[in-house]
Amino acid sequence: MKFVILLDIFFELLAKRKVTATYLAQKHELSIRTIYRYVDLLSMCVPVFVLQGRNGGICISDSYKLPVGFMTKEEYESAIEALSVMYSQIPEERFLAAQRKLSSRIKSEIRNLTLSGEIGSIIVDSSSWGDSRFQEKIRLTENCIRDCSVLEIDYRSRIGETTKRKIEPHTLVFKQGIWYVYAYCRKQSAFRLFRLGRIYSAFITGETFTKRTFKREDIPLNYWSNEVESVNVLLEIRENAFADAQDWLGVENLQKRGENWYAELFLPSDETLVKKIIALGDGVIVKEPNDLREKVKLQAQKIAKLYE
């Protein structure tokens, strides 16, 4: 019963962002003091807090959303199908409303990960800690976008092959710590995303181009994650990695249990995750799932052998 009430309070907050203790007490036929005890339990893993005063109430952080990958596409479809069956037997509006919400979440879950890109809302410092040549590459690309200048680049593939291309840069993209330029490739007669780090050399040809019309949705921003399954990961965070873990996972996802900090959330299960964990050294320990533990262990062993 306690678990059911906790879930109900959680989903009420997700839907309304703020509710009163009186409302929850009346709904569950409990005392206000008991409701606050439930809120205390919930606050151990979700950013829930109480605002005092006339317009106060029990609130959940506006930045908190159910994590992407919380349910797979198949699980969403099964839930929607179950709601449809329930509505056919008990034709109540609440089942239709829940079905509509789940349907819209499938379509919006990935799309909502991207920023608006409105001018003035974002400042990105492209400078590096060391060599400034990469920064110059970004500045060159930015100038070509502004001046509609054609760039001739030597571009190296993932396996190291170099090809010469003429591109028409349209916009810079920053994704998962990597810079890209979205440009029209004259060789392929189509728009492509090019990693700036793989551009060996770039020259302004002296040619200009007319900007082509494209929509934000045309840029394959979700290319990296569409086919990657997310898994529930439990990490133990040690003191020497705590600051980096906050930057990576978000402070709202870190909870202290006894003397240690932990993070439990859904993360894309791919090579990038293993590399990120390895990069934090002995400051992060994978507790679950076991197959991720083994991947990290195997990668660490491979690294250790290089220094034998």
Side-chain angles (χ1 to χ4, degrees):
M1 185 64 179
K2 179 187 291 187
F3 180 71
V4 173
I5 295 174
L6 277 170
L7 270 182
D8 183 80
I9 294 174
F10 175 56
F11 284 110
E12 283 275 5
L13 289 169
L14 281 177
K16 300 175 182 176
R17 314 312 293 184
K18 182 172 73 174
V19 294
T20 66
T22 301
Y23 164 77
L24 293 174
Q26 291 175 348
K27 180 178 181 180
H28 296 288
E29 299 181 349
L30 297 170
S31 69
I32 291 178
R33 179 179 295 181
T34 301
I35 290 298
Y36 280 127
R37 284 204 295 268
Y38 279 115
V39 172
D40 285 340
L41 285 172
L42 191 60
S43 67
M44 295 175 65
C45 55
V46 176
V48 174
F49 54 95
V50 177
L51 284 179
Q52 303 293 338
R54 183 176 180 181
N55 296 317
I58 300 166
C59 309
I60 190 169
S61 171
D62 287 326
S63 65
Y64 184 85
K65 300 287 187 298
L66 282 175
V68 173
F70 180 75
M71 290 173 65
T72 65
K73 183 180 178 182
E74 290 74 19
E75 288 170 338
Y76 273 122
E77 290 173 348
S78 296
I80 291 168
E81 184 179 350
L83 286 166
S84 178
V85 172
M86 291 175 71
Y87 181 75
S88 66
Q89 298 177 0
I90 310 173
E92 295 183 7
E93 177 62 26
R94 59 194 174 113
F95 295 125
L96 279 182
Q99 189 178 17
R100 285 193 293 267
K101 287 179 181 178
L102 284 176
S103 298
S104 64
R105 184 165 179 82
I106 295 177
K107 299 174 183 177
S108 65
E109 189 173 71
I110 297 299
R111 183 178 67 246
N112 289 339
L113 288 177
T114 59
L115 297 170
S116 67
E118 293 179 3
I119 295 174
S121 66
I122 304 168
I123 295 176
V124 177
D125 183 358
S126 63
S127 61
S128 62
W129 292 105
D131 196 337
S132 64
R133 286 175 293 181
F134 190 81
Q135 185 182 2
E136 291 300 325
K137 197 185 299 184
I138 294 176
R139 184 179 292 115
L140 172 66
T141 306
E142 184 182 24
N143 290 340
C144 287
I145 293 170
R146 182 194 62 212
D147 300 334
C148 295
S149 298
V150 176
L151 268 180
E152 184 174 291
I153 63 172
D154 289 321
Y155 191 73
R156 289 185 177 170
S157 69
R158 182 186 294 269
I159 59 174
E161 294 179 348
T162 302
T163 56
K164 193 175 292 292
R165 305 164 184 246
K166 284 187 177 181
I167 63 171
E168 302 171 2
H170 278 63
T171 190
L172 284 164
V173 175
F174 188 66
K175 178 80 173 185
Q176 292 186 349
I178 300 173
W179 281 100
Y180 300 80
V181 57
Y182 186 61
Y184 185 83
C185 177
R186 290 186 173 180
K187 181 178 181 179
Q188 296 180 321
S189 300
F191 274 105
R192 290 289 184 269
L193 270 176
F194 296 94
R195 295 191 182 215
L196 289 188
R198 294 184 184 171
I199 296 177
Y200 179 71
S201 61
F203 303 94
I204 299 176
T205 63
E207 299 177 67
T208 59
F209 64 90
T210 301
K211 285 192 175 180
R212 302 169 189 267
T213 302
F214 71 93
K215 301 189 295 290
R216 182 182 181 84
E217 292 76 15
D218 296 333
I219 306 175
L221 294 173
N222 301 323
Y223 170 80
W224 300 266
S225 57
N226 277 347
E227 303 301 325
V228 178
E229 181 184 359
S230 292
V231 295
N232 190 39
V233 177
L234 176 62
L235 303 173
E236 180 181 322
I237 315 296
R238 294 186 172 180
E239 185 178 353
N240 60 323
F242 182 72
D244 291 326
Q246 288 184 96
D247 295 338
W248 173 32
L249 304 170
V251 65
E252 69 279 3
N253 288 314
L254 304 182
Q255 298 92 37
K256 195 166 189 180
R257 303 176 189 172
E259 297 298 319
N260 300 318
W261 288 87
Y262 293 85
E264 185 171 8
L265 66 169
F266 284 86
L267 294 172
S269 180
D270 58 7
E271 291 182 4
T272 303
L273 177 58
V274 175
K275 291 177 181 177
K276 184 65 179 179
I277 294 170
I278 288 289
L280 294 176
D282 63 351
V284 172
I285 303 171
V286 179
K287 309 299 286 187
E288 297 175 3
N290 285 330
D291 61 335
L292 179 59
R293 284 175 58 89
E294 290 302 314
K295 289 178 182 178
V296 173
K297 180 180 177 180
L298 180 62
Q299 187 65 26
Q301 290 172 342
K302 288 181 180 178
I303 294 172
K305 285 183 179 180
L306 295 175
Y307 293 91
E308 291 178 352

